[in-house]
């Protein structure tokens, strides 16, 4: 049994510390997971920077590891099994859970989301139903990024992705890239990506996008909607998109991208808002009526998204390795957060036992 449980703990704005934490007791339906790898993302970084976390919170929510102990009532997990940890504690009894959407549970507690401790520790105790088996051929580094891939799978479900569609993705950060990977795995006909940084666009094209574009900056005095509409017409024409894209994904959080996304859609198209922008964003709603468009949000993932993400990795339909630009031992988590914040890396994975 474990004697050490080092954890990466928020102690103040931009300050984390490695602390020893007690291992939570394993209840009837719980498993104890020896955590091997944990990806860090923008929301961890948001916590890291925050001045208003209510306690010394263990960070992290994108973890995988090996089951070290199972509760007496657990029949479908075994000691030694490799698993990904679904970090949401959904109540399974609220009106949303019972209709199959624990991602929008009214009583959701989420690892690493104040005040629920996260998974950046050597050990975590979770409900056995929160673990999803991973086959041997998925590396631990990749296993540390299953949670964000599951979010991209959920987006694929929300967009009903299929092989006949065209897709525009705004934002080539980790989320945009994972959405691209899932779209290509599902055979989406043409994916065009947009980002304000040329290097990110170049990376996305290497990673599978059919075309990548850096949009021009809007000049002073030019009206936003006219700018977005002109640019949309130009892109659709230049890249032979017919009457517009079937799907546009906003994964940057920039207002102008939401406007362009809506302008670029064909009649009946779907815009998925995946980026977290400012609380009030101005978009051309009249086009929703004129073109009978849909706008959908997406948050976290629904049942089976983790298994589908793992399936994509195991069958080599998605390769996360090019996205994982560095790994850090948990003992150097402070440096990992600095690096994540500097946005020099695409995806950082922390090795929890090191
Ligand atoms: Zn995340
Ligand atoms: Zn619920």
């Amino acid at each position: 049994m474990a004697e050490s449980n080092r954890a990466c703990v928020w102690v103040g704005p931009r300050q984390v510390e490695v602390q020893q934490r007690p291992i939570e007791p394993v209840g009837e339906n719980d498993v104890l997971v020896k955590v091997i790898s944990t990806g860090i993302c923008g929301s961890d970084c948001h916590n890291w920077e925050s001045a208003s976390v209510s306690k010394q919170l263990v960070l992290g929510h994108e973890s995988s590891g090996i089951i070290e102990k199972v509760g007496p009532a657990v029949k479908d997990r075994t000691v030694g099994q490799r698993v990904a940890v679904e970090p949401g504690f959904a109540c399974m009894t609220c009106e949303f859970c019972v209709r199959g959407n624990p991602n929008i549970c009214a009583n959701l507690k989420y690892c690493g989301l104040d005040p629920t401790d996260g998974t950046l520790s050597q050990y975590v105790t979770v409900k056995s139903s929160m673990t999803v088996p991973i086959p041997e051929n998925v590396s631990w580094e990749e296993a540390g990024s299953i949670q964000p891939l599951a979010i991209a799978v959920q987006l694929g479900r929300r967009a009903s992705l299929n092989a006949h569609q065209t897709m525009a993705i705004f934002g080539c950060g980790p989320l945009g890239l994972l959405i691209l990977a899932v779209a290509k795995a599902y055979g989406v006909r043409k994916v065009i990506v947009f980002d304000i940084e040329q290097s990110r666009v170049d990376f996305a094209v290497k990673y599978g996008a059919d075309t990548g574009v850096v949009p021009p900056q809007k000049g002073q005095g030019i009206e936003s909607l006219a700018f977005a509409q002109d640019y949309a017409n130009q892109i659709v024409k230049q890249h032979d998109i017919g009457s517009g894209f079937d799907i546009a994904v906003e994964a940057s959080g920039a207002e102008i991208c939401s406007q362009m996304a809506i302008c670029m859609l064909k009649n009946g198209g779907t815009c998925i808002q995946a980026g977290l922008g400012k609380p009030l964003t101005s978009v051309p709603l009249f086009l929703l009526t004129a073109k009978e468009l849909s706008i959908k949000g997406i948050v976290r993932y629904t049942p089976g998204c983790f298994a589908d993400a793992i399936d994509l990795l195991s069958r080599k339909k998605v390769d996360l390795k090019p996205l994982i630009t560095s790994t850090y031992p948990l003992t150097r988590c402070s440096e990992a957060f600095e690096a994540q914040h500097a946005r020099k890396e695409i995806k950082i994975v922390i090795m929890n036992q090191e």
Side-chain angles (χ1 to χ4, degrees):
M1 232 349 262
E3 59 291 334
S4 162
N5 186 29
R6 284 190 299 269
C8 166
V9 179
W10 177 95
V11 290
R14 295 185 169 212
Q15 235 186 309
V16 287
E17 196 174 274
V18 177
Q19 293 180 1
Q20 282 292 339
R21 286 296 179 103
I23 294 175
E24 293 299 319
V26 177
E28 280 284 295
N29 294 295
D30 294 341
V31 294
L32 177 68
V33 178
K34 177 181 181 179
V35 187
I36 305 296
S37 57
T38 303
I40 56 177
C41 76
S43 67
D44 295 308
C45 223
H46 179 80
N47 266 339
W48 172 77
E49 277 189 280
S50 172
S52 56
V53 179
S54 69
K55 62 173 204 183
Q56 296 208 341
L57 184 76
V58 179
L59 299 177
H61 58 275
E62 303 179 359
S63 290
S64 288
I66 302 167
I67 292 183
E68 179 122 332
K69 195 173 174 184
V70 299
V74 175
K75 299 283 175 259
D76 53 358
R77 295 290 181 270
T78 52
V79 170
Q81 199 169 19
R82 305 171 95 227
V83 290
V85 176
E86 279 195 40
F89 294 84
C91 74
M92 302 319 279
T93 56
C94 74
E95 60 176 306
F96 309 108
C97 282
V98 296
R99 283 175 172 77
N101 293 293
N103 60 320
I104 47 172
C105 169
N107 310 304
L108 188 69
K109 290 192 283 177
Y110 209 78
C111 290
L113 188 68
D114 194 19
T116 306
D117 276 328
T119 57
L120 261 177
S121 50
Q122 289 181 285
Y123 292 87
V124 289
T125 302
V126 294
K127 290 188 279 184
S128 72
S129 59
M130 290 163 63
T131 61
V132 187
I134 313 173
E136 289 291 336
N137 71 348
V138 175
S139 70
W140 283 120
E141 285 79 7
E142 288 189 284
S145 288
I146 289 168
Q147 188 264 4
L149 183 59
I151 294 173
V153 167
Q154 168 71 0
L155 185 137
R157 293 183 181 189
R158 294 281 284 159
S160 306
L161 288 189
N162 68 57
H164 313 291
Q165 293 164 326
T166 52
M167 188 178 190
I169 300 174
F170 292 86
C172 297
L175 181 57
L177 292 169
L178 290 168
I179 293 164
L180 164 65
V182 168
K184 294 312 283 185
Y186 289 4
V188 167
R189 184 156 64 89
K190 192 181 257 187
V191 183
I192 301 190
V193 297
F194 300 86
D195 198 286
I196 52 171
E197 279 177 45
Q198 185 67 52
S199 60
R200 285 184 171 229
V201 165
D202 293 343
F203 185 90
V205 170
K206 261 204 322 219
Y207 194 55
D210 295 285
T211 306
V213 187
V214 177
Q217 295 288 327
K218 182 172 80 66
Q220 281 290 319
I222 299 173
E223 197 264 320
S224 293
L225 181 57
F227 175 75
Q229 189 68 67
D230 280 354
Y231 184 64
N233 293 344
Q234 195 187 316
I235 287 290
V236 165
K237 209 164 163 185
Q238 260 174 22
H239 299 282
D240 200 18
I241 308 296
S243 56
F245 288 91
D246 295 285
I247 310 287
V249 176
E250 202 304 294
S252 76
E255 184 172 48
I256 187 72
C257 293
S258 294
Q259 295 163 348
M260 284 179 181
I262 289 170
C263 290
M264 279 186 200
L265 287 172
K266 65 159 68 157
N267 291 355
T270 301
C271 179
I272 310 268
Q273 182 66 38
L276 272 183
K278 52 183 190 174
L280 187 59
T281 297
S282 168
V283 293
L285 276 186
F286 78 101
L287 288 177
L288 264 72
T289 309
K291 302 203 276 186
E292 201 174 53
L293 305 177
S294 305
I295 297 190
K296 294 182 179 183
I298 170 189
V299 65
R300 295 178 280 270
Y301 40 80
T302 45
C305 285
F306 261 67
D308 290 352
I310 292 165
D311 172 62
L312 289 173
L313 290 176
S314 174
R315 287 193 297 124
K316 312 290 177 207
K317 296 291 179 189
V318 168
D319 183 6
L320 292 180
K321 289 188 276 315
L323 305 189
I324 298 163
T325 43
S326 61
T327 59
Y328 284 80
L330 190 143
T331 48
R332 285 173 50 212
C333 56
S334 184
E335 286 166 63
F337 275 99
E338 295 287 351
Q340 169 75 25
H341 181 69
R343 290 171 59 113
K344 285 192 190 106
E345 311 277 355
I346 298 175
K347 190 80 192 162
I348 292 173
V349 172
I350 291 183
M351 305 311 285
N352 294 50
Q353 299 298 320
E354 294 171 13

